[in-house]
Amino acid sequence: MMEFMKKMMDWALEKEDDLAKNCGVKPEDIDKQIKIMEEKREQLKLKFEENDAEFKHILSRLNTIKADASQCTMK
């Protein structure tokens, strides 16, 4: 599904680029699109960082548990 969405976006961008080359797109409209995409990107970055922090926490705990379990096998 992601591949399909990617191809659709590339197709839409190609068409928009063709329009721009023929003076059919206002730069202000592209600025609006750029701003929207930058905002969405920032939102995704924040979400990623939150999720990544949670994964780091879980991995840290698992490594501690593994260390505890390893001591049992050494005895």
Side-chain angles (χ1 to χ4, degrees), residues 7-72:
K7 286 181 181 183
M8 288 300 296
M9 181 56 71
D10 285 341
W11 179 83
L13 290 170
E14 285 265 339
K15 295 300 175 192
E16 195 156 13
D17 190 29
D18 291 344
L19 280 172
K21 288 176 182 173
N22 293 309
C23 302
V25 176
K26 295 179 186 174
E28 302 85 42
D29 292 340
I30 303 302
D31 283 337
K32 288 177 190 175
Q33 291 177 358
I34 289 170
K35 186 175 188 223
I36 290 168
M37 292 306 294
E38 286 174 342
E39 288 171 358
K40 289 199 180 287
R41 184 176 185 214
E42 273 306 307
Q43 290 172 354
L44 284 172
K45 277 175 146 177
L46 288 173
K47 198 172 221 178
F48 169 79
E49 289 169 2
E50 290 170 3
N51 289 334
D52 190 48
E54 186 61 27
F55 275 109
K56 285 179 184 175
H57 171 72
I58 292 168
L59 286 168
S60 174
R61 293 286 311 268
L62 286 171
N63 280 315
T64 300
I65 293 167
K66 180 183 173 187
D68 291 342
S70 294
Q71 290 178 359
C72 294

